[in-house]
Amino acid sequence: MIRALCEYYDNLRKQPNTDLIPLGYSSVRVKYNLVLKKDGSIGKILHYGDDEEADNAGEKTSNKKGSDVIFPLRKSVSTISSEIIDHRGKYIFGLEYDDKAGQFTDKNLKAFEKCKEVNLAFLEDIHNDVAEAYKKFMLSWVPQEHLNEPELLKLGKEFSTATFIITIEGGESIPLNRTAEVLEKWDSLYAASAYSEEDVYGQCSITGKFGPIAKLHDKIKKFPNSAMDTSIVSFNKESFTSYGKTSSYNSSVSVEAMRKYTAALNYLLSSKRPHTQQIGTTLILFWANTTNYEVPYLGIIGPIVGNTNGSSSQEQEEAIQQVLKKAISGKLANIQGIDPNVDFYVLAIKKVDRLGIRLFEKNKFGNIIQNLARNCDDMSFSEDDRQLSIAKIVKELQPTSKKDERVKDEDYDDTGLQMKLLSSILTGAPYPRTVLVSLVRRIKTDRDVISKNNNRKVKAMSYSRVRIIRACLIRNKKIEQGGYKMLNENSTDAAYNLGRLFAALEKAQQDALGGNINATIKDKFFSSACSTPNLVFPRLLKLAQTHIAKLGTGAAIYYDKLIQEILGKISEGFPRTLNTEKQGMFILGYYQQKNKFYEKNTDKGEE
């Protein structure tokens, strides 16, 4: 996990327009783009900023507020001291704007000379196009000769607070401070400056490199609803000492790796990120290990968890649904900006005294999509069925009397089950057994109720519950992949046909007695028929003959023929008992046969 976070940190550094502030770097609000020609002369100066704003007439104009840009570490000092790739106008140009006179003066010559000295030395062995243009600019620029520089005069009094990135014509999107050569050299210089004679050296357990080992690990600062900083790695008792190593020397994590993984984790935990979801008291973090734009990968987790936190819109969820439908057929949809071979990570953590790891999954993004598509297909009876979230699945395990009421976390917090469900969905493994056990029990014991909130009828055997049962049976290999999406009249599974038989006997009773039924055979016998068929079905078949005798000739023939046809598929007679999986098959057979009777007006129950 720590290795994955270190890799993510490195990739964040390479992502375009990243807002990660790496160690050894500072964020600077930049207002202008100094575009140089190849010969080092000024081509143009542009307003810098990704956003646009509307003026009073409603026209779109350039954003003059600028945007935040990552530079090598800035140090605030009162004396003249240039930065590597300086962003300040007085250092770059050596000029100062006189507001009263409305012109430039050369009062900042010392600042320019210092900037020239520092940056020529730094860029000496860097030879990309923009670096070469900048070196030519510094060598040829004479501040006294540019007091009336047209591009600078356009800035006027704005020059006093102007900040700049430096680019070259034709490469305006890649500033000098973000080129790979500059980043590599600065990282090397910064890393060398961090070492001291007091450091303990060893082999890092994460990177395998030899270097200084972290005595203490940086704190994780932004865990939600926590007033105190926390840690993943910490040793604060003598009993944790081993082989004479104290503190976090025990973990043998280098200073470099420690700083990377803690910075990456704090980045993910930031409240403005689309990388988080919450299940109970556990936080779900997810990220794609890519150097490209990451957002297209991040909308997939919200619909699974059932708590989108505003990270995915209805349009995004519709797009995800289309992706899953296409992936079911084995064809991963071509989504712009997504590489199916990118590693995708899901990490679940909980705050106690320190951060506890509850789940860590890694897979190719394409495999994740395929597993999500399979999960959706496993619990679908039609193409219109959407992905059921973990929150929805867990809600279906509650009694019908509470299902439509607001359940507080402190009253019902089954985070452990939800973590297991999330792992099952991501990996394609069977659901936790308790899901099927709970659903079968709920269907057998619950009663249909009228919701107090909006007077809806909430069914014990709801469409969602049966969908989940089908998924459990498929993932437990009791049903073949893609099977039993509709009534399977050719099935030879005894439990499934017993469910069908019970539905036929119930329908015959309803047709025979009409509205004169206080309680159907389902109300009285469903649970026992599902559990112990041998004790119940002989009695039900005898009772059915009385009901069929009250029907007209055509209906009587229909039910008699249907019952005989189903009984013919129960070749070994009525079982004494049915285990949980067989009871699930019984429920599935009952539900599908009953819907077949009403297929012109199928009632799918409450979602």
Side-chain angles (χ1 to χ4, degrees):
M1 181 202 76
I2 291 178
R3 183 181 293 110
L5 287 168
C6 289
E7 292 174 356
Y8 182 55
Y9 173 92
D10 290 335
N11 283 328
L12 281 172
R13 292 277 314 278
K14 300 172 185 176
Q15 286 181 10
N17 301 318
T18 180
D19 58 351
L20 169 75
I21 303 176
L23 299 167
Y25 289 82
S26 298
S27 177
V28 175
R29 177 54 63 96
V30 171
K31 295 182 178 180
Y32 297 98
N33 182 357
L34 170 59
V35 183
L36 299 176
K37 297 180 180 179
K38 287 187 177 181
D39 63 3
S41 61
I42 295 176
K44 53 189 172 183
I45 295 177
L46 305 173
H47 284 293
Y48 182 75
D50 296 329
D51 300 328
E52 291 182 328
E53 57 186 11
D55 60 18
N56 292 334
E59 297 290 334
K60 292 286 186 179
T61 62
S62 297
N63 178 12
K64 298 183 180 181
K65 295 180 180 179
S67 291
D68 293 330
V69 179
I70 305 299
F71 280 86
L73 188 65
R74 314 278 93 166
K75 298 178 181 179
S76 298
V77 294
S78 56
T79 58
I80 293 177
S81 177
S82 179
E83 309 286 6
I84 300 297
I85 319 298
D86 213 306
H87 61 284
R88 297 165 293 182
K90 74 174 187 177
Y91 279 85
I92 296 172
F93 302 104
L95 302 174
E96 183 175 302
Y97 186 75
D98 187 334
D99 287 352
K100 294 182 179 179
Q103 62 184 20
F104 283 97
T105 67
D106 57 0
K107 289 185 179 181
N108 288 318
L109 290 177
K110 290 183 178 180
F112 171 74
E113 291 301 326
K114 189 65 177 178
C115 179
K116 180 178 177 180
E117 174 190 347
V118 169
N119 283 278
L120 284 177
F122 178 81
L123 296 170
E124 182 179 7
D125 55 353
I126 296 178
H127 302 291
N128 60 47
D129 289 346
V130 64
E132 291 296 334
Y134 187 45
K135 285 186 280 187
K136 290 176 183 177
F137 166 81
M138 287 187 289
L139 290 169
S140 62
W141 182 262
V142 180
Q144 300 93 321
E145 296 178 359
H146 294 275
L147 300 180
N148 295 309
E149 174 65 39
E151 289 294 317
L152 293 177
L153 286 173
K154 292 178 184 178
L155 304 184
K157 62 181 180 180
E158 294 289 331
F159 181 83
S160 59
T161 58
T163 48
F164 299 83
I165 57 168
I166 298 161
T167 65
I168 190 172
E169 284 185 341
E172 288 86 351
S173 63
I174 307 176
L176 176 61
N177 55 291
R178 299 302 299 165
T179 59
E181 296 88 345
V182 167
L183 294 175
E184 183 178 355
K185 183 168 184 178
W186 172 250
D187 286 344
S188 177
L189 291 174
Y190 179 75
S193 68
Y195 299 157
S196 72
E197 295 180 356
E198 298 178 358
D199 289 334
V200 174
Y201 282 73
Q203 186 176 31
C204 177
S205 60
I206 304 302
T207 65
K209 297 179 182 178
F210 189 84
I213 302 300
K215 180 180 181 181
L216 298 174
H217 286 219
D218 293 344
K219 297 291 186 180
I220 308 304
K221 301 178 179 180
K222 297 181 179 179
F223 198 85
N225 303 319
S226 177
M228 298 179 62
D229 296 345
T230 186
S231 301
I232 286 182
V233 179
S234 65
F235 298 82
N236 56 4
K237 291 184 179 180
E238 188 175 346
S239 58
F240 297 151
T241 301
S242 61
Y243 298 98
K245 294 181 179 181
T246 60
S247 302
S248 291
Y249 292 135
N250 281 277
S251 64
S252 193
V253 176
S254 67
V255 173
E256 178 186 13
M258 178 275 292
R259 288 177 173 173
K260 285 183 177 181
Y261 93 77
T262 53
L265 198 50
N266 279 321
Y267 174 88
L268 289 169
L269 285 167
S270 176
S271 60
K272 65 181 180 180
R273 309 283 170 213
H275 298 79
T276 63
Q277 293 290 327
Q278 189 141 359
I279 294 180
T281 57
T282 297
L283 199 66
I284 313 297
L285 307 177
F286 41 93
W287 66 92
N289 215 15
T290 177
T291 58
N292 297 319
Y293 191 49
E294 191 184 5
V295 170
Y297 297 89
L298 302 180
I300 201 74
I301 298 297
I304 303 171
V305 173
N307 176 22
T308 59
N309 293 338
S311 62
S312 61
S313 64
Q314 184 175 353
E315 290 77 11
Q316 288 173 317
E317 292 186 30
E318 288 286 350
I320 291 169
Q321 189 69 17
Q322 293 303 315
V323 171
L324 297 182
K325 284 183 179 180
K326 292 182 179 180
I328 288 170
S329 62
K331 298 178 181 179
L332 183 60
N334 181 22
I335 314 172
Q336 186 175 4
I338 282 182
D339 177 2
N341 292 314
V342 161
D343 287 332
F344 192 78
Y345 296 86
V346 180
L347 169 65
I349 53 179
K350 183 175 182 178
K351 171 73 166 62
V352 192
D353 293 330
R354 66 183 76 186
L355 292 185
I357 311 303
R358 306 201 63 172
L359 174 75
F360 181 62
E361 297 287 352
K362 170 192 174 182
N363 208 334
K364 298 296 183 185
F365 189 73
N367 293 338
I368 293 284
I369 291 290
Q370 294 291 353
N371 287 335
L372 297 183
R374 178 195 165 185
N375 179 69
C376 186
D377 188 54
D378 287 348
M379 58 173 61
S380 297
F381 289 116
S382 77
E383 292 186 356
D384 295 329
D385 288 336
R386 292 178 171 274
Q387 175 96 21
L388 285 183
S389 69
I390 292 172
K392 176 65 174 175
I393 294 172
V394 171
K395 187 176 181 181
E396 291 298 336
L397 306 186
Q398 303 171 44
T400 53
S401 58
K402 295 182 179 179
K403 239 174 54 175
D404 205 48
E405 297 175 3
R406 190 177 298 276
V407 179
K408 299 179 181 178
D409 286 343
E410 57 267 29
D411 297 331
Y412 190 84
D413 182 10
D414 200 345
T415 308
L417 174 59
Q418 295 182 69
M419 288 296 100
K420 293 177 182 177
L421 272 169
L422 179 59
S423 178
S424 297
I425 292 170
L426 293 174
T427 62
Y431 295 156
R433 182 168 176 77
T434 187
V435 174
L436 181 60
V437 171
S438 296
L439 284 173
V440 169
R441 183 175 65 250
R442 292 269 63 87
I443 288 174
K444 287 164 57 179
T445 59
D446 284 358
R447 295 290 180 266
D448 297 347
V449 297
I450 301 297
S451 166
K452 295 179 181 178
N453 292 342
N454 52 17
N455 295 323
R456 290 190 309 164
K457 187 174 184 179
V458 182
K459 293 190 174 183
M461 193 180 297
S462 68
Y463 186 55
S464 295
R465 281 182 170 179
V466 181
R467 286 178 62 188
I468 300 168
I469 285 177
R470 176 177 181 267
C472 289
L473 295 171
I474 291 177
R475 298 170 91 88
N476 288 335
K477 301 188 183 304
K478 303 303 178 182
I479 295 177
E480 67 278 7
Q481 191 76 37
Y484 291 86
K485 280 202 169 186
M486 59 184 68
L487 179 65
N488 186 347
E489 296 177 337
N490 297 318
S491 173
T492 58
D493 185 275
Y496 182 80
N497 283 298
L498 285 169
R500 290 184 59 204
L501 178 59
F502 193 92
L505 298 177
E506 179 191 27
K507 187 64 167 60
Q509 179 193 36
Q510 291 172 334
D511 287 357
L513 303 181
N516 300 318
I517 307 177
N518 293 326
T520 66
I521 61 170
K522 180 178 182 296
D523 299 324
K524 293 182 178 181
F525 299 108
F526 184 85
S527 179
S528 54
C530 186
S531 306
T532 55
N534 189 45
L535 295 178
V536 177
F537 272 98
R539 180 181 176 184
L540 292 179
L541 286 171
K542 184 177 180 180
L543 183 62
Q545 296 307 311
T546 304
H547 297 150
I548 293 174
K550 296 180 180 181
L551 296 171
T553 302
I557 294 173
Y558 168 77
Y559 282 111
D560 188 64
K561 185 177 179 181
L562 177 61
I563 290 170
Q564 293 304 318
E565 179 264 324
I566 296 174
L567 283 171
K569 292 182 171 60
I570 309 173
S571 57
E572 297 183 2
F574 300 125
R576 288 188 176 183
T577 59
L578 296 178
N579 62 23
T580 302
E581 283 78 9
K582 290 299 183 182
Q583 290 182 49
M585 288 297 296
F586 182 101
I587 291 169
L588 183 60
Y590 169 84
Y591 187 86
Q592 291 185 329
Q593 182 65 63
K594 185 173 181 178
N595 272 3
K596 181 69 174 179
F597 292 136
Y598 300 100
E599 63 182 1
K600 291 184 179 180
N601 186 25
T602 301
D603 181 4
K604 292 183 177 181
E606 297 299 325
E607 282 296 318

